[in-house]
Amino acid sequence: MTVTQLREGDYRPDGAGGFALATGGAGVLERVLFLLTARRGGFPLLPEVGSRLYLLSRARPSARGALGASYAAETLAGEENLRVLGAVWTEETRTLTVELEWQGEPMQAVLDAAALGWQDRQEDRQEAGSI
């Protein structure tokens, strides 16, 4: 699999006037990161593309890991040879680490709250006990 690399929503240049490409496991991880960070329903002609991970901000911090694993599995269900093994929410860094396996190769997709489209709301910080 060959895909164009994205960083912060933009194509990543290759330094020669084109776009950087990723193949094999790196290509799969690029696709996974795109699918997990895109909001489900955000593409009108492809409503099934994307995830519901943005909804994690509404869940209690203690439930975010299990819910994140569920949303990731739902999003990636159609990806060939890819399994979601689990997910861990780290409140201190506000990151979700999704554990994956592609063709027997372990992978990790690490997403921070900003990548998931969260606003830094005061209610989130209070609930987490940081205020």
Side-chain angles (χ1 to χ4, degrees), residues 95-113:
T95 57
L96 180 71
T97 303
V98 181
E99 301 289 337
L100 306 160
E101 183 181 83
W102 176 70
Q103 296 183 345
E105 179 184 338
M107 303 177 141
Q108 281 188 344
V110 181
L111 307 157
D112 65 13

Side-chain angles (χ1 to χ4, degrees), residues 14-79:
D14 67 359
F19 301 114
L21 301 176
T23 59
V28 170
L29 192 55
E30 287 288 330
R31 182 166 170 78
V32 163
L33 291 170
F34 170 75
L35 290 171
L36 292 178
T37 56
R39 251 183 212 229
R40 178 156 290 198
F43 298 99
L45 298 177
L46 298 169
E48 70 284 353
V49 171
S51 76
R52 296 188 299 152
L53 287 172
Y54 67 93
L55 297 174
L56 288 180
S57 65
R58 299 178 186 173
R60 287 182 312 231
S62 62
R64 289 178 180 159
L67 199 53
S70 174
Y71 288 159
E74 170 188 84
T75 301
L76 302 172
E79 295 300 306

Side-chain angles (χ1 to χ4, degrees), residues 72-125:
E74 170 188 84
T75 301
L76 302 172
E79 295 300 306
E80 208 171 301
N81 300 320
L82 184 69
R83 287 186 334 143
V84 175
L85 303 176
V88 176
W89 174 257
T90 306
E91 188 61 38
E92 296 79 34
T93 57
R94 296 171 59 89
T95 57
L96 180 71
T97 303
V98 181
E99 301 289 337
L100 306 160
E101 183 181 83
W102 176 70
Q103 296 183 345
E105 179 184 338
M107 303 177 141
Q108 281 188 344
V110 181
L111 307 157
D112 65 13
L116 299 175
W118 293 18
Q119 302 294 326
D120 192 19
R121 300 180 325 175
Q122 186 171 353
E123 306 90 74
D124 290 339
R125 292 190 310 268

